[in-house]
Every structure is written in C-alpha cells, then in structure tokens.
Amino acid sequence: MSKMIDIIVDGKTYNVEEDSLLIDLLIKEKIKVPYFCYHESLGADGNCRMCMVEIEGQKRPQIACDTFVKEGMEVRSKTPNIAKVRRDILELELINHPVDCPVCDQAGECSLQIFYMQHGLHDTEVTIPEKVKHEKHLDLGSNVILDQERCVLCARCTRFTDKITHTHELGIVGRGDDSKVSTMPGRKLDNPYAMNVVDLCPVGALTSKDFRFSQRVWFLKVSNSICHGCAKGCNLYIDHNKIKYKDDVVYRFRPRRNDAVNGFFICDEGRLSYKELEENRQEIIVLKNQELSEDKAIKEFKSKVDKYKGNTTIIVDANLYTEEIEAILEFAKEIDAQVISPLGIYKDEDFGDDMLKSSMRAANYKTIQRLNIAESTSIQSDLIINFNHPSEIHASEKISFLTHKNKDLELTFPIASYSESSGHLTNEDGITQACERTVFKNTPIPTIQEWIQKVRT
Amino acid sequence: MSQNIKVIPRHGSSFKDKLYLPAIYDGVKVTFKHLFKNLNDSNAVDTLEYPEEQPTDITSRYRGLHRLTHRPDASIACVACFMCATACPADCIFIEATARKDGHDEKMPKTFFIDTLECVFCGYCVEACPCDAIRMDTGIFSLTGNNREDFVLGKEQLLANKGAFGEEICSARN
C-alpha cells in the first residue's frame, strides 16, 4: 500500500493512492471523461487521445490515462479549451466513420454515439468526397464479426489477445487511414474467451455473430445473474425482452464486473449457454409420455410417496439454488427419504483451465458438500425422486422434476429454470452470490418450492 | 393560501334566468335559422355523400395508410433499424431483422408488420425513419377487412401500396 495523497480535480479535493492513474480516479468519481482505448483490465495505451485534461503547470493538455497522480496536482476537466480539444479529436475520429448506426448492432451502447452527444454535437468541418473503404463484414471466427470501417483503432481487442489470452491473433496492420484490425493471413480468432472482444470494443467494429440483428439494445431489459456453466460462478448481465404479444426471451449474456470472481470477462461457452434456457424445455406434466392434469399428477405423486415411505431416495442436482436444496431437504425429512447428489457426473477435465473455467461443472456443489448431502451412487430404494440431476438412475418407480426434457419419462413435473427463479449459489471459492429472477413467462412454470408446497397440502 | 382564492358570483339567479324560457327561445331560434337556410339552398350544405362521392381535399401532407418505399433498383429501402418501432406511441410496428445479401447495406426486415387497428396515424414512424423507407402518402383513408388479421399489414402489402403524390422512389442517400 503506497502513500495516500491529496489532489484537486475541478476545484474538489480527492484523497488517492500515489502513482495511481488519474483516469481511474475520474472513472471512480464519475467525472465525465471520454475514452476509447483505456480499459481497467488492459491498462493505459494512450492512443485515442480522448481523455485530455488540463494539469496546472503543464503547457498542453495531457491524457488522463497515462498520467500518474502526484502530490498537489491540480486537474481541470471542464474548461472550454478541453471541450474544444475533445470535440476536435472526436471530429477526426469521425472523418472516415461510415455513420451506419441504423444497421449497426452497437447503436445504443456505442461510445462514439455517447461521446458525440456529450462532447461533440458539431457539424464536421472536414469534408471529403469519399470515405476510406474497408472490409464491412469480416468473419473473424469464434462468433466475432469485424467491420473495419467502424473501427476507431483503440487496440483494446489486440491488447486483449496479447495480454489476457496470450493468443496474439489480432493485430493492427497498415498505416495512416489504411490501418485496420486484422488477423494473420489464414488464421482465425480462436480462443475460448474470444467473444469478450465484442464487449471490449467501444464501437460497432466487433459485433457478435450470435446476437447479430436479433434485437436493438435499447429494448433489452437487464438483470443481474450468475453463470451456471461451471463452479466458477461468473457474474452475468442477462439481457432479455418481452415483445408485445410474445413471451419473455433471453437474447444474450454479458459479463458483469466482479473483481473477486471473474473480473471483466466470461468464457464463450458460458456466454452462449443462454440458448439452453429455451431449448427442449419440459413444459407440461407427463406420465408415461401422456399429458396429465395437475390435480391427477399430485394425487399420483402422493400415492407413490405414501406407498414407498421409508423406501425413497431423492437425487438433487448440484446446479440448484441453495434455497431449493434446503426446501428439498426439509421435504425429504417429512417423507422420510434419503437425499443424495452424485457429483462425479459433473467433472469435466477437458473444460477446465487456469483462467475462468472450472472443471467442476456444477454451479452450487459447494452447498451440496456444506449440507452434507451424500455423493453415493448406489441406490437401494424402490422409489426415486429426481430433482433435475443429469444422471440416469434406474429404479422400479421414478418421479422426476425436470427443467429440460429427458428420455425416459415416467411421472415428470416441469420446474422453472434458473432464469425463472431467484436464489443463491456458492461458487468453488466459497463466495455466495445472489441471482435475480430474470424471465417472467406468460405461463410461468412452478419452481421447486412451489411444487413442494403443492404436494404438501 | 387565502389570498389566492377568488370568489365568483353564481350566475342564473335573476328572474329571467330562473324562467328558462328566454334561453330556450334563443337556442331554438338558432336551430330554426339554420334549418330554413339549408332547406332553401341544400347545395350549400357542407356534407359528402360518401361513398358515392369521394373526398377531394386529400393533400400530400395527409397522413393516410403507410407504405414501404423502394430503392431505384426496386429493392426494399428499409434497413430494419427499428427507429419507427421505437418512436411508435401505439407500439404497433413489429419488425424482425435479418442479414441482407443483395449488396445494399447489411440489414433488412425479414418481417415487417403494422397493426393498423392499433395505429393512431400520428406519423411519428415517418418522422423517425432515417432512410425515407416508410411514408404515409398513399392517400388511402379507408381500410376494410372481414377479420382482425386483415388489418395487420405485412411487408409485401406495405411495399405494394403506391404513393398518391409521385415520388415513388425513396430519396435517402442509397
């Protein structure tokens, strides 16, 4: 921990760590400063020149992202001179920008648009008969599409592949107005975290092929959630929207910053796992592939549970919320059943790496261990009640509570998936995090707690 | 508070007002004046024998039924930017976007529906469109149908509607 010092920004005194970056203070204190190239995870690069501020004693404006804080520094960010400098740099950025916002997926969350509204609002004084043409839709691989004309050459994407993934696929080639982001000839963007460059890109140069044209971003509602792909528990934003007369649909996952867990990023597999939320869902109560009414199903459930009292095993999925697991444990006590959760099936050594992917692909297995739920796979009971556990277990009688359709369907109840209910998860490092309920379907599927409440009465 | 209160004396308390008849007489006088004037000269009455007689005062600024415009090469001008759907106060424009492969831009509507039963014909969609792709210059003021679905106009129907005042082709830059 280095020394804390006082500096003055726009007449106000702030206490900061010596030799930290000035821009970090400006971002933290929400002092408006435009920037393209700086990113907290990638550090200063100083190429976009947007974050200019005046510093007392310095002749010319300085970039805040490459200025270290010194004792007694006096910074001004709102002078007319700074406003002009920012506007002029923005004007240069926009000379060759195609301004195709109507067809650009970034529109609505684009730094160029935001900075133009905050700092620009100018009529351009640079008129050129024709803008420089580059490639408009280059498929870089890994679901990333590059539009070289929209690029502001901030080099966030190239620094991401250099500093974070160390795969070095992207680089900036050419000089002057011919410079553009590109991959090596014949090589593709290919790493398990590649789609993070879409979030990093401040403009519409890098867009997701998966999300391409599916929604305009200003229609999307955002909820905070946790990825269920593995035990890491990466923090997510879930972007969803309910179009008039239609159902609530999740359109994409985006990483949510949490320095204790995932930092700024998520893996591509987790990002694309939103598709599984809708696909192949169990939506109706089924008995031997025949649809069954709720009353009859509950009667059937009760008669089976009564018949095998003391001879029942409940199997619990290690992806369920802590609240759901606790409700199941309580219910198991009432019907005198044994509760197990075989964890071996979640192990996937090929999936794990030393960044954000864990080879344990169960989001809440720590809670299973904390609540002392047995991991045994041998079952002697005649009745099995399966709460969404993926393994296939054979017994003479079987009742399932499933989010997604499974092959052998005896008595099966549909249950809400993690986006349709809220709860807590404990990740592999023991950090407990909350998930919001995101999706509100037109006909909501009951949660596990609601089913247990129904079969009790 | 009290200095803001202004007391207005209640009207209609005089004998003439309480009799009511003078007021009724005034009203009936106006009615009969118009009745006899119109009986004398029925051609001066400002009504239209619709539908035999069609209106003649529909100008180019009249907000009629919507249409989607074409580019010079007859392809659709719309790029599915959703500006119209965003601006629409009635929330009656339903667009699904898809990638465009004919060399213009990158994006086009896969489906484009306007529910004219929900539409309030405010013209905000025309104002919002950056591509001059949607207009309300068809001069069509009456839309009929046998069921609700007939009033939900799709992309093909909207493209088939013709402008009533020339300017067939969209005037945006491409």
Side-chain angles (χ1 to χ4, degrees), chain A residues 2-13:
Chain A
S2 57
K3 208 170 82 186
M4 297 301 280
I5 53 160
D6 283 342
I7 73 158
I8 302 167
V9 182
D10 295 329
K12 233 175 128 185
T13 309

Side-chain angles (χ1 to χ4, degrees), chain A residues 154-171:
Chain A
C154 67
R156 277 191 193 176
C157 52
T158 63
R159 282 181 287 148
F160 176 78
T161 55
D162 289 345
K163 291 182 179 175
I164 309 286
T165 60
H166 306 291
T167 45
H168 310 282
E169 293 106 330
L170 295 171

Side-chain angles (χ1 to χ4, degrees), chain A residues 98-100 102-103 105 136-137 147 150 212-213 215-216 218-219 243-246, chain B residues 79-83 85-86 90-92 94 97-99 105-107 118 130 173:
Chain A
V99 203
D100 54 357
V103 295
D105 267 342
K136 281 295 278 180
H137 28 98
D147 185 324
R150 292 178 190 151
R212 194 168 165 84
F213 304 152
Q215 277 282 299
R216 300 314 315 250
W218 55 83
F219 292 125
I243 299 172
K244 205 175 177 185
Y245 306 128
K246 292 201 179 139
Chain B
V79 296
C81 70
F82 287 70
M83 286 298 140
T86 307
D91 218 356
C92 70
F94 305 92
T98 184
D105 296 321
E106 297 171 57
K107 199 178 173 189
E118 288 187 71
R173 71 193 151 105

Side-chain angles (χ1 to χ4, degrees), chain A residues 91-347:
Chain A
E91 188 171 344
L92 293 174
E93 294 284 10
L94 285 164
I95 291 175
N96 279 315
H97 188 80
V99 203
D100 54 357
C101 309
V103 295
C104 178
D105 267 342
Q106 190 82 6
E109 52 183 12
C110 171
S111 296
L112 261 180
Q113 284 183 332
I114 295 165
F115 298 155
Y116 181 79
M117 296 313 286
Q118 284 178 352
H119 307 281
L121 289 176
H122 57 269
D123 290 322
T124 182
E125 287 166 35
V126 188
T127 45
I128 45 169
E130 194 145 314
K131 295 189 174 187
V132 174
K133 292 269 181 290
H134 285 307
E135 201 69 52
K136 281 295 278 180
H137 28 98
L138 245 165
D139 194 343
L140 290 184
S142 299
N143 275 316
V144 179
I145 287 187
L146 169 65
D147 185 324
Q148 292 170 336
E149 287 182 8
R150 292 178 190 151
C151 180
V152 292
L153 297 168
C154 67
R156 277 191 193 176
C157 52
T158 63
R159 282 181 287 148
F160 176 78
T161 55
D162 289 345
K163 291 182 179 175
I164 309 286
T165 60
H166 306 291
T167 45
H168 310 282
E169 293 106 330
L170 295 171
I172 294 177
V173 296
R175 285 183 178 192
D177 60 12
D178 189 41
S179 32
K180 56 204 172 223
V181 170
S182 180
T183 51
M184 289 287 182
R187 270 190 71 188
K188 289 275 180 200
L189 184 61
D190 181 26
N191 67 66
Y193 297 89
M195 285 178 81
N196 286 303
V197 296
V198 174
D199 300 316
L200 283 173
C201 184
V203 296
L206 293 166
T207 49
S208 159
K209 196 175 173 182
D210 181 66
F211 181 66
R212 194 168 165 84
F213 304 152
S214 65
Q215 277 282 299
R216 300 314 315 250
V217 295
W218 55 83
F219 292 125
L220 297 173
K221 315 265 180 311
V222 183
S223 340
N224 300 337
S225 192
I226 306 293
C227 182
H228 276 58
C230 72
K232 185 76 189 175
C234 295
N235 290 219
L236 294 177
Y237 289 119
I238 300 185
D239 289 350
H240 63 111
N241 184 23
K242 190 169 185 295
I243 299 172
K244 205 175 177 185
Y245 306 128
K246 292 201 179 139
D247 218 343
D248 210 345
V249 173
V250 173
Y251 286 97
R252 61 175 180 182
F253 283 177
R254 282 182 300 132
R256 177 159 55 99
R257 182 179 178 183
N258 186 341
D259 293 338
V261 182
N262 58 317
F264 293 84
F265 307 116
I266 51 171
C267 68
D268 287 1
E269 188 142 348
R271 185 186 295 264
L272 295 174
S273 65
Y274 79 93
K275 290 179 183 167
E276 294 160 16
L277 286 173
E278 314 284 341
E279 273 171 12
N280 200 29
R281 283 295 300 277
Q282 179 77 36
E283 277 161 344
I284 47 165
I285 307 171
V286 166
L287 175 63
K288 294 198 172 74
N289 291 324
Q290 295 285 315
E291 194 179 341
L292 199 67
S293 74
E294 194 180 303
D295 294 343
K296 274 188 193 164
I298 288 174
K299 212 178 270 173
E300 178 84 16
F301 179 91
K302 278 182 183 167
S303 74
K304 276 191 182 167
V305 167
D306 284 343
K307 191 176 160 196
Y308 293 100
K309 199 150 196 170
N311 192 11
T312 309
T313 300
I314 292 178
I315 309 175
V316 185
D317 180 19
N319 282 301
L320 297 179
Y321 289 129
T322 306
E323 288 84 346
E324 292 172 324
I325 297 172
E326 281 167 353
I328 293 166
L329 284 180
E330 208 174 302
F331 180 67
K333 232 179 252 168
E334 286 165 30
I335 62 164
D336 196 16
Q338 160 199 19
V339 182
I340 60 161
S341 179
L343 294 179
I345 192 164
Y346 298 112
K347 276 237 165 58

Side-chain angles (χ1 to χ4, degrees), chain A residues 30 36 61 82 131 154 167 194 255 451 456:
Chain A
K30 299 202 167 60
F36 292 116
I82 286 299
K131 295 189 174 187
C154 67
T167 45
W451 275 126
R456 257 189 203 138

